Amino acid sequence: MLVFESQLIAYVLLALLVALVVSFLMTPVVKTFAYKVGAIDVPKDARRMHKVPIPRLGGLAIFIGFMVSILLFVRVTPEMKSILLGAVIIVVLGVVDDIMALPAMFKFVVQIVAAAIPATHGVVIQAFSNPNIFSENLYWVLGWLSIPVTILWIVAITNAVNLIDGLDGLANGVSAISATTMLVIALMASEAQVAIVLAALVGACVGFMPYNLNPAKMFMGDTGATFLGYILATMSIQGLFKYYAVISFVVPFLILGLPIFDTAFAFIRRIAHGQSPMHADRSHIHHRLIDMGLNQKQAVATLYVISAILGLSAVVLTTGGEQKAMLFFAALCIVAVVAARVVFPKEVREELHEELEELKELGHHEPPEEEPPEKGEEP
C-alpha cells in the first residue's frame, strides 16, 4: 500500500512538472501564432480591463501541456478517451472563436455535442445525496435523467469558468485552485487516474501563469477558459460524484463555487432587468471589486482567497464531516474579512464613505411633502 502511494505521488509530481514545462515553453510559440492569425483582444468596450491589444489563444499552450502529460502518464480508458475527444472539440471551437467571433447559439450547440460524448460513454452523474435532510431517501437516483443532467453540468461549468475570465490571471488561477482541491481529494481516495489528470491540469495552468498575471502578456481566450471549465466539470464527475456519493451534492459546488455563484448571479440579474441571460455586461464579481477601488492584482488576490476557502472547506467536508466543514468555513470567512480590513483598509473606508454619501444624496433628493394650499390660493 505504501509503495502504491509513493508511486502515485511520483507520477502526480511528474505529470504536473511535465505539463508545467511544456505549457511554459509553448506559450511564446502560441503567442507568435496568435499574432499571425489575428487572434488579438482589442480593448473596445468598458468591460475590458486592459488598455492595449493583447494576443489571445494562450489556452492552446495550456491544452498542449495538458495533453503531452496525459499521453505520457495516463492510461487512456474508453471513458478517458471520450473526455479527451470532447476536450479537442472544445479547444477547436475556442481557437476559431478567438480568431473570428462565432455566434453564441452555435457555440452553445457545439458545447452540448462535446459534453454529450463523455456523457454517453460512462462519464455520468448517476446519483447524488438528497439535499432535503428530512427525507427518508438519502439519494436521488437520476435514472434516465443522468445523461441530460450530466450534459447540463458540463456545459454550465464550461461557461461559468469562461464568464469569470475578466481579469489578468483570474480564470487561470481559480481553475488551478479548484483542480488542486480535486487533486488532494483524489489522492486521499487513492484514485490514481483522476489524480494524475488533475495534476496535469494544475501544471498546465501554472506553466501559463507567468504570461497571464497582471500585467498580462497573453490571454488564454475562450480556448483556455472553456477547456479548463470542461476538464474541471468532467473530472468532478469522475472524482467527486462517483466516489463521494454521500456528499456529492455539496463538494463539487464548493470547489467550483466562485464561477457557479458568479454565473448564477449574472443570469438572475440580467433576467431581472429584462435582458437576455447571455447579454454581456460589466457587473460580474471582479468588476464590482474593481469598482470598489481595488486594483486588478488586489481583486484577483481576493477572489483567489475566496476560491481557496471554498476548496479547503470541501477537503475538510470529505474528511471530517459536515459539522467540522461548516465550522472551518465560518472560521476562514471571519479570517478573510479581518484580513481584507487589514490589507485593504483604505479601500474598505472609501467604499463605506461612498455608500454613506449615496444614502445622503438619496435622502436629499426625496421630494418634499406638499403643504395644503392657504386660503385664497389655488390648489
Side-chain angles (χ1 to χ4, degrees):
M1 185 68 178
L2 187 61
V3 174
F4 171 77
E5 289 179 356
S6 300
Q7 289 179 340
L8 175 56
I9 292 171
Y11 273 112
V12 163
L13 292 174
L14 280 172
L16 192 153
L17 186 61
V18 168
L20 188 156
V21 171
V22 173
S23 174
F24 180 78
L25 294 177
M26 284 302 300
T27 302
V29 179
V30 172
K31 186 177 180 181
T32 303
F33 175 69
Y35 276 116
K36 286 184 177 179
V37 297
I40 310 297
D41 196 309
V42 180
K44 57 181 182 291
D45 56 46
R47 290 189 303 112
R48 287 167 169 80
M49 297 288 105
H50 57 290
K51 306 299 180 185
V52 297
I54 295 177
R56 292 191 288 253
L57 283 183
L60 199 53
I62 296 174
F63 173 71
I64 294 170
F66 174 81
M67 286 300 294
V68 169
S69 187
I70 292 297
L71 294 175
L72 285 175
F73 300 107
V74 175
R75 183 169 55 88
V76 182
T77 61
E79 289 182 354
M80 194 64 217
K81 191 181 294 183
S82 68
I83 291 172
L84 295 178
L85 179 57
V88 170
I89 293 172
I90 290 291
V91 168
V92 170
L93 175 69
V95 169
V96 175
D97 188 45
D98 283 336
I99 296 172
M100 52 179 184
L102 295 172
M105 186 52 68
F106 174 76
K107 291 190 290 184
F108 187 64
V109 170
V110 175
Q111 288 172 357
I112 291 174
V113 172
I117 295 172
T120 53
H121 287 79
V123 184
V124 289
I125 304 169
Q126 296 177 341
F128 53 79
S129 57
N130 190 344
N132 181 7
I133 59 174
F134 301 105
S135 173
E136 294 181 358
N137 298 320
L138 295 177
Y139 305 104
W140 282 353
V141 179
L142 297 176
W144 65 271
L145 284 172
S146 60
I147 290 178
V149 167
T150 300
I151 293 172
L152 176 64
W153 172 257
I154 295 173
V155 173
I157 299 303
T158 298
N159 285 285
V161 174
N162 192 26
L163 284 173
I164 65 166
D165 187 25
L167 297 179
D168 296 349
L170 178 56
N172 190 32
V174 168
S175 297
I177 292 168
S178 298
T180 302
T181 304
M182 292 187 199
L183 169 60
V184 171
I185 294 173
L187 286 172
M188 290 191 302
S190 296
E191 290 301 328
Q193 290 286 91
V194 175
I196 295 170
V197 172
L198 289 166
L201 190 65
V202 173
C205 290
V206 175
F208 179 66
M209 190 67 79
Y211 298 94
N212 195 222
L213 287 175
N214 184 262
K217 303 175 188 69
M218 191 170 192
F219 292 153
M220 67 168 67
D222 280 11
T223 305
T226 53
F227 166 71
L228 291 176
Y230 173 86
I231 296 297
L232 286 171
T234 51
M235 295 318 297
S236 70
I237 296 169
Q238 287 292 86
L240 299 177
F241 281 106
K242 279 192 174 182
Y243 302 110
Y244 285 94
V246 176
I247 48 176
S248 62
F249 185 82
V250 179
V251 173
F253 282 86
L254 273 176
I255 294 173
L256 301 165
L258 184 60
I260 289 172
F261 171 79
D262 186 47
T263 302
F265 183 72
F267 277 27
I268 292 169
R269 182 182 63 250
R270 290 165 187 171
I271 293 170
H273 287 91
Q275 299 172 332
S276 165
M278 305 305 294
H279 173 74
D281 58 21
R282 198 184 177 283
S283 298
H284 289 282
I285 295 174
H286 49 273
H287 290 133
R288 291 175 179 269
L289 289 174
I290 295 293
D291 292 340
M292 284 173 60
L294 275 63
N295 60 39
Q296 280 209 48
K297 290 180 180 178
Q298 291 171 334
V300 169
T302 301
L303 294 173
Y304 281 178
V305 170
I306 292 171
S307 188
I309 288 172
L310 293 170
L312 287 169
S313 300
V315 171
V316 173
L317 181 57
T318 59
T319 57
E322 294 87 342
Q323 291 81 8
K324 285 185 179 179
M326 289 177 67
L327 289 171
F328 184 75
F329 179 73
L332 285 179
C333 286
I334 293 168
V335 171
V337 170
V338 173
R341 293 188 67 88
V342 173
V343 177
F344 309 132
K346 181 182 175 183
E347 288 80 2
V348 171
R349 284 198 303 271
E350 287 178 354
E351 177 64 15
L352 289 172
H353 179 71
E354 287 176 7
E355 289 182 1
L356 287 172
E357 289 297 320
E358 286 178 8
L359 289 172
K360 288 178 182 178
E361 287 180 9
L362 286 172
H364 287 313
H365 285 94
E366 286 181 3
E369 293 182 8
E370 293 186 4
E371 296 181 0
E374 295 182 7
K375 290 181 181 180
E377 291 183 354
E378 292 184 6

